[in-house]
Amino acid sequence: MSTAPPVAVARLADQLGIDPVKLRSYSRRAKTRTEHLRLVAQYLGWRPTSTLELKELDEFLLARAMEHDSPTLLFRLACEYLISARVIRPGPVTVVKRVAHAREEAQRETFARLAHEFTDVRCAALDGLLVTDPEVKTTRLRWLATGPVEASPAAIKAEVAKLAFLHGLGADALDLSVLPAERRRFLATVGRRLTAQALERRDPQRRYPILLTLLTQSATDVLDEVVGLFDQAISAREGKAERKMRDTLAERGKSGEDRQALLDDLLDIIFDLGLDDERIGGLIRGERIGWPRLRSAREQAAPRLPRDHGHLAALDGSYGYLRQFTPQVLAAVRFAGGTAAAGLLEAVEILRELNATGARRVPDKAPDGFVPTRWRGYLDAARKSGNTSAYRHYWELCTLLGLRDGLRTGDVYVPGSRRYSDPPPTW
């Protein structure tokens, strides 16, 4: 009581109706403090910390340590748990020891849950990630973590090579759902922060869960990167084709000024109600317009533009560029979707087969119902003329653009992806 604030002592003495001086001798006897603390706790419904309460605290901390590894956070959560359970908190040292024990148990539990994955072959493959590989001139772990700087064919094929490497290790088939999501994120964060040498020095019980989690997350990240770069590269070429189309339209507009002036003069003559038909013909062919001007306008006539004003035709100029990486992407990535995308997905499978076999002709029954109306004229004209090469180009471009759009709208998704996963139902 000697350390209590005088104001508090005075208030308590007033409530008890005794002299504040008499309270100074209170709690000098240890037995008094212990007994009164027991009575106060009993009155308020709190329990002392016994073996049972400590065991329950350990179980709580283990569950939290599987999600969070921060000692400070675990200490705070332990205190909050004890308050909610109405258990008198033991000394800070005891709580700190319990937190440290929970973190160690979480590491052991993590390894135990993943023990079935750590075969000799798998462990050798995981250790191989930490060794410099002459093929990539660095460790495979660092190679996997190094992302592209641009959406170029070379960058896309490099990411596809990473995806093939991960698939070769079976990373796409790993299921780490036995661990909480927060634990997996924590392990991956640790793995990205540590160097290969630091990971190599860690004992196997810690090293292998970290590497396995990194491998699994890398499979998802690289897959998302491949699909994202595919989208960016297709869109960049589509944008370039659109700019080319607009430039062409502008040039047509400039070259058509003389023909527009001719049309204006023709309309002036035709709408002159004071002229009969014979006089109109004479003015057009003779004194007002004349044959030379008519012939010049006819020679300057440009072919009529398709419904899209030549957008797809301009994109066809990038066909060779797109072929540098699209076959590799289609071979490495699996796409899925609902009934609305059935025709498109069938076209993607046919295109994948054409790429694999080297065949050039699109099968007669290949679906094209997904092709927008503004582009159907290209396919119809190529089919009518028997130009199988042009039909292949336009059909393939429409398939790639349809796949890009389907990924954006969610009609098409990528199994195993995070960014392009199957969207949840809205009902």
Side-chain angles (χ1 to χ4, degrees):
M1 189 61 70
S2 59
T3 60
V7 176
V9 174
R11 180 176 177 79
L12 179 59
D14 182 63
Q15 290 178 336
L16 295 176
I18 62 177
D19 186 352
V21 178
K22 294 182 178 180
L23 286 176
R24 293 178 181 175
S25 60
Y26 174 72
S27 76
R28 287 181 180 176
R29 292 175 66 248
K31 187 175 181 180
T32 301
R33 292 196 303 271
T34 303
E35 181 62 22
H36 284 194
L37 177 61
R38 183 186 64 79
L39 293 173
V40 170
Q42 184 178 358
Y43 175 78
L44 295 175
W46 285 62
R47 295 172 292 153
T49 307
S50 64
T51 303
L52 177 61
E53 279 70 29
L54 288 177
K55 182 179 179 181
E56 292 175 349
L57 175 61
D58 288 341
E59 293 175 354
F60 169 82
L61 282 174
L62 175 59
R64 300 291 76 75
M66 291 296 293
E67 300 172 350
H68 314 285
D69 192 68
S70 169
T72 304
L73 176 60
L74 291 174
F75 184 92
R76 181 169 60 82
L77 291 174
C79 294
E80 293 176 355
Y81 167 79
L82 292 171
I83 292 173
S84 64
R86 304 180 80 81
V87 174
I88 299 174
R89 194 196 75 186
V93 174
T94 301
V95 179
V96 168
K97 289 181 178 179
R98 296 289 168 175
V99 167
H101 176 72
R103 295 178 67 207
E104 294 175 358
E105 284 298 311
Q107 292 174 0
R108 284 191 284 269
E109 179 68 15
T110 298
F111 186 86
R113 293 187 185 186
L114 299 176
H116 63 283
E117 297 285 357
F118 300 133
T119 62
D120 293 341
V121 175
R122 175 63 55 70
C123 290
L126 293 176
D127 288 333
L129 297 174
L130 307 177
V131 181
T132 299
D133 191 322
E135 185 178 346
V136 296
K137 300 178 181 178
T138 185
T139 64
R140 287 287 180 175
L141 192 63
R142 184 170 184 179
W143 174 66
L144 290 172
T146 304
V149 296
E150 60 179 352
S152 64
I156 295 174
K157 288 190 284 189
E159 292 302 304
V160 170
K162 293 179 184 177
L163 196 61
F165 173 78
L166 289 165
H167 286 180
L169 295 179
D172 57 318
L174 287 171
D175 181 11
L176 303 188
S177 59
V178 292
L179 296 180
E182 288 294 335
R183 187 68 180 177
R184 298 198 298 269
R185 276 192 285 270
F186 163 72
L187 292 173
T189 301
V190 171
R192 293 190 182 98
R193 188 176 66 245
L194 296 177
T195 63
Q197 293 79 7
L199 283 169
E200 197 170 11
R201 287 194 296 267
R202 291 211 165 192
D203 63 84
Q205 194 176 54
R206 296 187 179 186
R207 180 171 71 249
Y208 290 142
I210 292 174
L211 291 175
L212 195 68
T213 306
L214 270 179
L215 205 62
T216 306
Q217 290 211 357
S218 294
T220 302
D221 294 341
V222 172
L223 178 59
D224 285 348
E225 199 69 65
V226 169
V227 180
L229 291 173
F230 168 80
D231 184 315
Q232 293 176 38
I234 294 284
S235 300
R237 285 291 153 163
E238 185 189 24
K240 182 179 180 181
E242 187 173 357
R243 291 190 295 272
K244 182 178 180 181
M245 175 198 70
R246 290 175 179 172
D247 293 343
T248 301
L249 290 175
E251 289 298 323
R252 284 174 66 98
K254 293 177 183 178
S255 62
E257 289 180 358
D258 292 340
R259 291 171 62 84
Q260 182 63 45
L262 173 61
L263 176 61
D264 293 339
D265 293 341
L266 285 171
L267 292 175
D268 289 342
I269 295 173
I270 293 172
F271 277 92
D272 189 344
L273 300 180
L275 299 174
D276 56 30
D277 292 346
E278 292 183 3
R279 180 59 178 158
I280 290 174
L283 291 173
I284 292 176
R285 298 185 182 93
E287 51 195 276
R288 289 280 292 275
I289 296 179
W291 281 112
R293 190 178 175 190
L294 290 171
R295 290 193 185 96
S296 176
R298 186 176 184 182
E299 291 172 356
Q300 294 176 6
R304 297 192 66 178
L305 291 174
R307 297 185 63 170
D308 70 340
H309 297 150
H311 186 194
L312 190 62
L315 183 60
D316 188 38
S318 297
Y319 181 79
Y321 177 89
L322 297 176
R323 288 286 302 173
Q324 293 182 51
F325 63 88
T326 54
Q328 290 86 344
V329 172
L330 295 185
V333 181
R334 291 289 175 247
F335 302 95
T339 54
L344 173 62
L345 292 174
E346 183 181 353
V348 170
E349 287 299 322
I350 292 174
L351 181 55
R352 184 183 287 123
E353 183 66 20
L354 292 174
N355 293 333
T357 60
R360 297 183 178 181
R361 181 186 177 90
V362 179
D364 294 335
K365 295 183 179 180
D368 59 7
F370 57 89
V371 177
T373 304
R374 66 182 184 279
W375 292 338
R376 293 202 64 84
Y378 291 95
L379 298 179
D380 294 339
R383 185 186 289 111
K384 186 176 181 180
S385 65
N387 191 338
T388 57
S389 178
Y391 187 87
R392 163 68 183 268
H393 281 213
Y394 293 135
W395 180 83
E396 183 171 346
L397 290 172
C398 290
T399 300
L400 294 174
L401 288 168
L403 180 59
R404 188 275 314 268
D405 294 340
L407 289 167
R408 289 183 173 183
T409 60
D411 291 336
V412 177
Y413 63 92
V414 179
S417 169
R418 182 186 303 109
R419 192 187 312 166
Y420 303 95
S421 60
D422 186 12
T426 57
W427 59 82

PDB file of all heavy atoms in Angstrom, residues 160-180:
ATOM      1  N   VAL A 160       8.036 -19.139 -69.397  1.00  0.00           N
ATOM      2  CA  VAL A 160       7.516 -20.469 -69.743  1.00  0.00           C
ATOM      3  C   VAL A 160       8.533 -21.541 -69.363  1.00  0.00           C
ATOM      4  O   VAL A 160       8.169 -22.632 -68.888  1.00  0.00           O
ATOM      5  CB  VAL A 160       7.174 -20.539 -71.244  1.00  0.00           C
ATOM      6  CG1 VAL A 160       6.865 -21.973 -71.666  1.00  0.00           C
ATOM      7  CG2 VAL A 160       5.981 -19.646 -71.564  1.00  0.00           C
ATOM      8  N   ALA A 161       9.829 -21.231 -69.551  1.00  0.00           N
ATOM      9  CA  ALA A 161      10.875 -22.184 -69.154  1.00  0.00           C
ATOM     10  C   ALA A 161      10.854 -22.409 -67.646  1.00  0.00           C
ATOM     11  O   ALA A 161      11.056 -23.540 -67.170  1.00  0.00           O
ATOM     12  CB  ALA A 161      12.239 -21.666 -69.602  1.00  0.00           C
ATOM     13  N   LYS A 162      10.622 -21.340 -66.870  1.00  0.00           N
ATOM     14  CA  LYS A 162      10.500 -21.495 -65.418  1.00  0.00           C
ATOM     15  C   LYS A 162       9.306 -22.375 -65.068  1.00  0.00           C
ATOM     16  O   LYS A 162       9.386 -23.234 -64.172  1.00  0.00           O
ATOM     17  CB  LYS A 162      10.339 -20.129 -64.759  1.00  0.00           C
ATOM     18  CG  LYS A 162      11.552 -19.229 -64.841  1.00  0.00           C
ATOM     19  CD  LYS A 162      11.259 -17.890 -64.176  1.00  0.00           C
ATOM     20  CE  LYS A 162      12.412 -16.916 -64.329  1.00  0.00           C
ATOM     21  NZ  LYS A 162      12.096 -15.595 -63.738  1.00  0.00           N
ATOM     22  N   LEU A 163       8.209 -22.155 -65.771  1.00  0.00           N
ATOM     23  CA  LEU A 163       7.005 -22.947 -65.509  1.00  0.00           C
ATOM     24  C   LEU A 163       7.261 -24.422 -65.802  1.00  0.00           C
ATOM     25  O   LEU A 163       6.840 -25.302 -65.037  1.00  0.00           O
ATOM     26  CB  LEU A 163       5.857 -22.410 -66.362  1.00  0.00           C
ATOM     27  CG  LEU A 163       4.446 -22.840 -65.967  1.00  0.00           C
ATOM     28  CD1 LEU A 163       4.110 -22.381 -64.561  1.00  0.00           C
ATOM     29  CD2 LEU A 163       3.428 -22.254 -66.957  1.00  0.00           C
ATOM     30  N   ALA A 164       7.979 -24.703 -66.890  1.00  0.00           N
ATOM     31  CA  ALA A 164       8.304 -26.089 -67.229  1.00  0.00           C
ATOM     32  C   ALA A 164       9.211 -26.705 -66.163  1.00  0.00           C
ATOM     33  O   ALA A 164       9.046 -27.881 -65.788  1.00  0.00           O
ATOM     34  CB  ALA A 164       8.983 -26.143 -68.589  1.00  0.00           C
ATOM     35  N   PHE A 165      10.156 -25.918 -65.648  1.00  0.00           N
ATOM     36  CA  PHE A 165      11.050 -26.416 -64.586  1.00  0.00           C
ATOM     37  C   PHE A 165      10.251 -26.751 -63.333  1.00  0.00           C
ATOM     38  O   PHE A 165      10.451 -27.804 -62.714  1.00  0.00           O
ATOM     39  CB  PHE A 165      12.107 -25.345 -64.282  1.00  0.00           C
ATOM     40  CG  PHE A 165      12.965 -25.661 -63.101  1.00  0.00           C
ATOM     41  CD1 PHE A 165      13.998 -26.573 -63.195  1.00  0.00           C
ATOM     42  CD2 PHE A 165      12.743 -25.038 -61.873  1.00  0.00           C
ATOM     43  CE1 PHE A 165      14.804 -26.866 -62.091  1.00  0.00           C
ATOM     44  CE2 PHE A 165      13.531 -25.321 -60.767  1.00  0.00           C
ATOM     45  CZ  PHE A 165      14.567 -26.250 -60.881  1.00  0.00           C
ATOM     46  N   LEU A 166       9.324 -25.882 -62.958  1.00  0.00           N
ATOM     47  CA  LEU A 166       8.510 -26.113 -61.763  1.00  0.00           C
ATOM     48  C   LEU A 166       7.597 -27.316 -61.944  1.00  0.00           C
ATOM     49  O   LEU A 166       7.402 -28.109 -61.013  1.00  0.00           O
ATOM     50  CB  LEU A 166       7.688 -24.863 -61.456  1.00  0.00           C
ATOM     51  CG  LEU A 166       8.503 -23.668 -60.940  1.00  0.00           C
ATOM     52  CD1 LEU A 166       7.678 -22.385 -61.006  1.00  0.00           C
ATOM     53  CD2 LEU A 166       8.974 -23.919 -59.514  1.00  0.00           C
ATOM     54  N   HIS A 167       7.043 -27.456 -63.135  1.00  0.00           N
ATOM     55  CA  HIS A 167       6.193 -28.622 -63.396  1.00  0.00           C
ATOM     56  C   HIS A 167       7.017 -29.908 -63.327  1.00  0.00           C
ATOM     57  O   HIS A 167       6.522 -30.953 -62.877  1.00  0.00           O
ATOM     58  CB  HIS A 167       5.539 -28.494 -64.766  1.00  0.00           C
ATOM     59  CG  HIS A 167       4.436 -27.477 -64.793  1.00  0.00           C
ATOM     60  ND1 HIS A 167       3.705 -27.190 -65.918  1.00  0.00           N
ATOM     61  CD2 HIS A 167       3.951 -26.678 -63.816  1.00  0.00           C
ATOM     62  CE1 HIS A 167       2.813 -26.249 -65.636  1.00  0.00           C
ATOM     63  NE2 HIS A 167       2.949 -25.927 -64.363  1.00  0.00           N
ATOM     64  N   GLY A 168       8.280 -29.812 -63.777  1.00  0.00           N
ATOM     65  CA  GLY A 168       9.148 -30.983 -63.706  1.00  0.00           C
ATOM     66  C   GLY A 168       9.411 -31.427 -62.277  1.00  0.00           C
ATOM     67  O   GLY A 168       9.635 -32.615 -62.018  1.00  0.00           O
ATOM     68  N   LEU A 169       9.374 -30.474 -61.347  1.00  0.00           N
ATOM     69  CA  LEU A 169       9.549 -30.803 -59.923  1.00  0.00           C
ATOM     70  C   LEU A 169       8.221 -31.163 -59.256  1.00  0.00           C
ATOM     71  O   LEU A 169       8.212 -31.479 -58.059  1.00  0.00           O
ATOM     72  CB  LEU A 169      10.174 -29.616 -59.181  1.00  0.00           C
ATOM     73  CG  LEU A 169      11.598 -29.226 -59.584  1.00  0.00           C
ATOM     74  CD1 LEU A 169      12.062 -28.016 -58.783  1.00  0.00           C
ATOM     75  CD2 LEU A 169      12.563 -30.387 -59.375  1.00  0.00           C
ATOM     76  N   GLY A 170       7.138 -31.097 -60.003  1.00  0.00           N
ATOM     77  CA  GLY A 170       5.824 -31.403 -59.429  1.00  0.00           C
ATOM     78  C   GLY A 170       5.276 -30.309 -58.550  1.00  0.00           C
ATOM     79  O   GLY A 170       4.376 -30.546 -57.731  1.00  0.00           O
ATOM     80  N   ALA A 171       5.792 -29.074 -58.699  1.00  0.00           N
ATOM     81  CA  ALA A 171       5.355 -27.965 -57.834  1.00  0.00           C
ATOM     82  C   ALA A 171       3.896 -27.624 -58.049  1.00  0.00           C
ATOM     83  O   ALA A 171       3.210 -27.170 -57.123  1.00  0.00           O
ATOM     84  CB  ALA A 171       6.222 -26.731 -58.091  1.00  0.00           C
ATOM     85  N   ASP A 172       3.399 -27.814 -59.270  1.00  0.00           N
ATOM     86  CA  ASP A 172       2.000 -27.474 -59.564  1.00  0.00           C
ATOM     87  C   ASP A 172       1.028 -28.447 -58.922  1.00  0.00           C
ATOM     88  O   ASP A 172      -0.168 -28.146 -58.799  1.00  0.00           O
ATOM     89  CB  ASP A 172       1.772 -27.440 -61.076  1.00  0.00           C
ATOM     90  CG  ASP A 172       2.150 -28.760 -61.747  1.00  0.00           C
ATOM     91  OD1 ASP A 172       3.204 -29.319 -61.375  1.00  0.00           O
ATOM     92  OD2 ASP A 172       1.416 -29.217 -62.632  1.00  0.00           O
ATOM     93  N   ALA A 173       1.514 -29.621 -58.504  1.00  0.00           N
ATOM     94  CA  ALA A 173       0.627 -30.635 -57.909  1.00  0.00           C
ATOM     95  C   ALA A 173       0.729 -30.681 -56.392  1.00  0.00           C
ATOM     96  O   ALA A 173       0.027 -31.459 -55.751  1.00  0.00           O
ATOM     97  CB  ALA A 173       0.964 -32.013 -58.487  1.00  0.00           C
ATOM     98  N   LEU A 174       1.579 -29.854 -55.801  1.00  0.00           N
ATOM     99  CA  LEU A 174       1.736 -29.864 -54.347  1.00  0.00           C
ATOM    100  C   LEU A 174       0.500 -29.285 -53.666  1.00  0.00           C
ATOM    101  O   LEU A 174      -0.053 -28.284 -54.108  1.00  0.00           O
ATOM    102  CB  LEU A 174       2.962 -29.043 -53.945  1.00  0.00           C
ATOM    103  CG  LEU A 174       4.329 -29.673 -54.242  1.00  0.00           C
ATOM    104  CD1 LEU A 174       5.433 -28.657 -53.983  1.00  0.00           C
ATOM    105  CD2 LEU A 174       4.533 -30.915 -53.393  1.00  0.00           C
ATOM    106  N   ASP A 175       0.095 -29.912 -52.589  1.00  0.00           N
ATOM    107  CA  ASP A 175      -1.050 -29.446 -51.801  1.00  0.00           C
ATOM    108  C   ASP A 175      -0.581 -29.173 -50.376  1.00  0.00           C
ATOM    109  O   ASP A 175      -0.301 -30.096 -49.618  1.00  0.00           O
ATOM    110  CB  ASP A 175      -2.174 -30.489 -51.812  1.00  0.00           C
ATOM    111  CG  ASP A 175      -3.396 -30.028 -51.034  1.00  0.00           C
ATOM    112  OD1 ASP A 175      -3.457 -28.827 -50.675  1.00  0.00           O
ATOM    113  OD2 ASP A 175      -4.280 -30.862 -50.776  1.00  0.00           O
ATOM    114  N   LEU A 176      -0.468 -27.895 -50.044  1.00  0.00           N
ATOM    115  CA  LEU A 176      -0.015 -27.506 -48.702  1.00  0.00           C
ATOM    116  C   LEU A 176      -1.163 -27.005 -47.845  1.00  0.00           C
ATOM    117  O   LEU A 176      -0.950 -26.235 -46.906  1.00  0.00           O
ATOM    118  CB  LEU A 176       1.065 -26.421 -48.816  1.00  0.00           C
ATOM    119  CG  LEU A 176       2.295 -26.757 -49.655  1.00  0.00           C
ATOM    120  CD1 LEU A 176       3.351 -25.675 -49.501  1.00  0.00           C
ATOM    121  CD2 LEU A 176       2.878 -28.108 -49.276  1.00  0.00           C
ATOM    122  N   SER A 177      -2.373 -27.433 -48.163  1.00  0.00           N
ATOM    123  CA  SER A 177      -3.533 -26.968 -47.405  1.00  0.00           C
ATOM    124  C   SER A 177      -3.528 -27.469 -45.958  1.00  0.00           C
ATOM    125  O   SER A 177      -4.337 -27.005 -45.150  1.00  0.00           O
ATOM    126  CB  SER A 177      -4.829 -27.406 -48.098  1.00  0.00           C
ATOM    127  OG  SER A 177      -4.880 -28.819 -48.219  1.00  0.00           O
ATOM    128  N   VAL A 178      -2.629 -28.409 -45.637  1.00  0.00           N
ATOM    129  CA  VAL A 178      -2.525 -28.867 -44.241  1.00  0.00           C
ATOM    130  C   VAL A 178      -1.971 -27.763 -43.349  1.00  0.00           C
ATOM    131  O   VAL A 178      -2.077 -27.840 -42.124  1.00  0.00           O
ATOM    132  CB  VAL A 178      -1.645 -30.123 -44.148  1.00  0.00           C
ATOM    133  CG1 VAL A 178      -2.321 -31.306 -44.813  1.00  0.00           C
ATOM    134  CG2 VAL A 178      -0.262 -29.872 -44.742  1.00  0.00           C
ATOM    135  N   LEU A 179      -1.386 -26.758 -43.964  1.00  0.00           N
ATOM    136  CA  LEU A 179      -0.874 -25.615 -43.203  1.00  0.00           C
ATOM    137  C   LEU A 179      -1.827 -24.433 -43.364  1.00  0.00           C
ATOM    138  O   LEU A 179      -2.375 -24.219 -44.450  1.00  0.00           O
ATOM    139  CB  LEU A 179       0.512 -25.195 -43.710  1.00  0.00           C
ATOM    140  CG  LEU A 179       1.652 -26.206 -43.557  1.00  0.00           C
ATOM    141  CD1 LEU A 179       2.932 -25.608 -44.124  1.00  0.00           C
ATOM    142  CD2 LEU A 179       1.847 -26.602 -42.104  1.00  0.00           C
ATOM    143  N   PRO A 180      -2.016 -23.647 -42.315  1.00  0.00           N
ATOM    144  CA  PRO A 180      -2.826 -22.435 -42.457  1.00  0.00           C
ATOM    145  C   PRO A 180      -2.211 -21.495 -43.485  1.00  0.00           C
ATOM    146  O   PRO A 180      -0.996 -21.470 -43.702  1.00  0.00           O
ATOM    147  CB  PRO A 180      -2.784 -21.810 -41.047  1.00  0.00           C
ATOM    148  CG  PRO A 180      -2.417 -22.943 -40.132  1.00  0.00           C
ATOM    149  CD  PRO A 180      -1.544 -23.856 -40.926  1.00  0.00           C
TER     150      PRO A 180
END
